[in-house]
Amino acid sequence: IGSWTYWEHKVTGVSSVVVSGGGNIDELRLYPSTAQMTTYTYQPLVGVTSQCDVASRLSNYGYDGFGRLSYVKDQDGNVVKRYCYNANGQTTNCQLPVTQPVIASNSTSKPIQITFATLNNGFTANFTVQPGASNSTLGNIPAGTYNVLMTPVNSSSSYPVVFTYNGSSQQYYATVEFGAQAVAAPVTIGLTPAP
């Protein structure tokens, strides 16, 4: 198992056992042949870090930065169970969300700050679209529903901007909001000077 060698021996007709030799022993189990044994290792203030069951199968347990159980691996290092948590510490679906690219063009003379804020779990993504950007991929965001804020850096009432989000446009000189926008496909943003 990994870099360790697994040995199993049945000892009969003896009243004592002596283990000798060189090297390290990670675990030694001595028990009657009709007994069943499960052993555990612990990390103080965290919890169980490994378990060896009655069939000598090893499981390893991993924890996140908050000390919550994050995964269980089998003796070959395969993740057999994963645990995920929401912002309130409750277990949640561990399926990784599909991400979508955010693609933007900016023909104004000002950088524009774009903020995506989810409606359900507090996730926020911020991007800046520099002047002259043309179909630039700013990054990816998980599929979901977002309030989208677009804010010109150093906004001026004498310099209105046409903000376009997936084909829908608003014209203003300061922050605009596109509320409750479903992201399930690539996002396109266009920023142009107002006519």
Side-chain angles (χ1 to χ4, degrees), residues 4-194:
W4 295 94
T5 303
Y6 176 78
W7 296 89
E8 183 174 323
H9 297 283
K10 188 172 189 175
V11 180
T12 58
V14 296
S15 59
S16 67
V17 175
V18 175
V19 178
S20 63
N24 295 320
I25 297 175
D26 180 50
E27 180 175 350
L28 178 64
R29 304 170 101 190
L30 298 172
Y31 55 91
S33 61
T34 57
Q36 294 184 345
M37 179 186 291
T38 300
T39 57
Y40 302 89
T41 59
Y42 292 89
Q43 181 177 347
L45 303 176
V46 174
V48 176
T49 55
S50 69
Q51 171 190 345
C52 190
D53 68 13
V54 295
S56 296
R57 291 181 300 242
L58 184 65
S59 297
N60 290 296
Y61 300 83
Y63 296 85
D64 66 14
F66 296 104
R68 301 175 299 196
L69 183 60
S70 182
Y71 61 83
V72 179
K73 290 184 177 181
D74 66 15
Q75 64 189 21
D76 298 319
N78 301 309
V79 175
V80 294
K81 182 129 175 97
R82 184 173 302 278
Y83 298 87
C84 296
Y85 303 88
N86 64 19
N88 296 324
Q90 300 161 321
T91 56
T92 186
N93 185 344
C94 289
Q95 180 178 354
L96 295 175
V98 175
T99 61
Q100 297 296 336
V102 177
I103 303 163
S105 296
N106 183 0
S107 61
T108 73
S109 62
K110 297 178 179 285
I112 309 289
Q113 180 75 38
I114 312 292
T115 300
F116 290 82
T118 59
L119 301 180
N120 57 353
N121 68 6
F123 173 80
T124 301
N126 293 297
F127 303 102
T128 300
V129 187
Q130 296 298 330
S134 177
N135 291 320
S136 298
T137 299
L138 305 177
N140 293 302
I141 59 172
T145 303
Y146 295 85
N147 283 334
V148 182
L149 298 175
M150 299 186 192
T151 307
V153 175
N154 302 320
S155 61
S156 166
S157 60
S158 63
Y159 193 83
V161 174
V162 176
F163 301 89
T164 304
Y165 179 89
N166 283 349
S168 177
S169 296
Q170 296 183 42
Q171 179 178 316
Y172 200 56
Y173 65 89
T175 301
V176 298
E177 179 177 356
F178 292 86
Q181 299 297 310
V183 173
V187 173
T188 57
I189 294 172
L191 307 158
T192 58

